[in-house]
Amino acid sequence: MNIILLGPPGAGKGTQAKRLEESRGMVQLSTGDMLRAEVQSESTLGKEAKAVMDAGKLVSDALVIGIIGNRIDQPDCKNGFILDGFPRTVAQAEALDGMLEEKGMTLDAVIEMKVDDAALTERITGRYTCGTCGQGYHDTFHKPAKAGICDKCGGTEFKRRADDNAETVTSRLEAYHAQTAPILPYYADRGMLKSVDGMADMDEVTRQIEKVLG
Ligand code: AMP
C-alpha cells in the first residue's frame, strides 16, 4: 500500500509515518529528512537547498521530484511507502502521478491531518529529538522521564531543527497555505482524499489513520 500523509508542518506526519513503519512494514519517505541529510553532508544539492529551507520556503519542484523519483525505485519501497512532506505543490502531485504510472505503481490513499494554525507554532518551536535514536520530545507536551536522558535509548545528546524557530515557522505556514493546500482539491476531485483530526492525541490519530487504511 502506498499513501500520502498531507498536512501543515507540525501536524504530526513524521510521528504517524514512523508508527506505520512499525505496524505495517511500510517505509517513510520524508523529503525534509532527505534534504536535511544533503545539507548535513554539504553536497552540492544540500548547499543549494539550505538557504531556502532556512527561510522556510519550498525548494524547487525539479529538485524534490528528482530525489523522490530515485528513492521510490529502491527495493524497500516494494513493501509500500508513506510520502511525508511530498507532494507539496500541484506540479509535484502531477509529477508523482506520472512517475507512479510509468513505474506501474499505484497510490492507495491520501490522508489529510487537520490541525489549527494556532496549535502549530507551539508544537513546532518546542520540539526536539534524541540525537542518537531520533525519538521525538517536546519542551511542554512530552519531556523525557529523566531530564536530559532519552527514554528510548539512554542518549544524552538532543537536537533541534534549524528551521523550527518562530520566524521560519510563519513562512512555512504561509508556504503551506499558498502552495500546498491547493493539492487538497486535486486529490478530492479524484476521490482519494480522507481526513483525520490532527488535533486529537497521538494514539487517537493513529486509530483514525488505521481505520482509513482498513
Ligand atoms: P519538512 O521536514 O517536511 O518540514 O521540510 C523541511 C523543509 O524542506 C521545507 O520547509 C522545505 O524548505 C523543504 N522541503 C521538504 N519537502 C519539500 C517539498 N516536497 N517541496 C519543496 N520543499 C520541500
Side-chain angles (χ1 to χ4, degrees):
M1 182 180 283
N2 303 319
I3 68 165
I4 297 175
L5 287 184
L6 203 56
K13 302 185 295 293
T15 303
Q16 296 298 331
K18 290 207 165 53
R19 290 183 168 199
L20 289 172
E21 280 195 321
E22 281 173 23
S23 66
R24 293 180 176 244
M26 298 163 79
V27 59
Q28 175 192 16
L29 305 183
S30 157
T31 40
D33 284 349
M34 294 173 205
L35 289 166
R36 280 185 287 280
E38 295 288 342
V39 171
Q40 184 85 31
S41 69
E42 298 184 350
S43 66
T44 314
L45 195 154
K47 283 180 188 149
E48 188 187 326
K50 187 179 185 316
V52 181
M53 294 168 75
D54 285 348
K57 300 213 163 79
L58 296 186
V59 305
S60 76
D61 288 334
L63 199 156
V64 284
I65 289 165
I67 292 184
I68 282 289
N70 290 331
R71 185 64 185 87
I72 60 177
D73 281 336
Q74 304 298 310
D76 59 344
C77 292
K78 298 271 181 292
N79 300 332
F81 54 77
I82 309 145
L83 289 168
D84 160 10
F86 180 92
R88 252 179 163 99
T89 63
V90 172
Q92 292 177 23
E94 288 168 349
L96 176 66
D97 278 348
M99 236 186 285
L100 294 177
E101 198 183 330
E102 195 186 298
K103 296 176 196 293
M105 293 169 151
T106 50
L107 192 59
D108 300 282
V110 178
I111 302 178
E112 179 197 8
M113 302 177 64
K114 281 180 180 279
V115 182
D116 300 341
D117 269 12
L120 293 170
T121 306
E122 193 185 10
R123 281 189 184 192
I124 296 172
T125 53
R127 73 184 177 181
Y128 61 98
T129 52
C130 170
T132 310
C133 73
Q135 172 66 32
Y137 293 99
H138 191 281
D139 293 328
T140 313
F141 308 128
H142 180 200
K143 299 178 189 175
K146 274 197 195 134
I149 301 174
C150 175
D151 296 342
K152 200 169 165 190
C153 77
T156 53
E157 300 283 330
F158 296 87
K159 56 182 188 186
R160 285 176 199 265
R161 280 171 47 171
D163 59 350
D164 278 351
N165 58 73
E167 307 86 74
T168 312
V169 168
T170 307
S171 310
R172 287 161 67 196
L173 290 179
E174 276 169 17
Y176 179 78
H177 290 297
Q179 292 169 274
T180 307
I183 68 180
L184 295 168
Y186 178 89
Y187 288 117
D189 288 350
R190 286 160 179 72
M192 300 193 68
L193 188 68
K194 302 275 187 300
S195 295
V196 298
D197 176 14
M199 295 294 286
D201 72 57
M202 276 193 264
D203 292 344
E204 171 57 20
V205 178
T206 304
R207 271 192 290 276
Q208 291 187 18
I209 291 175
E210 291 287 357
K211 201 169 155 203
V212 167
L213 298 181

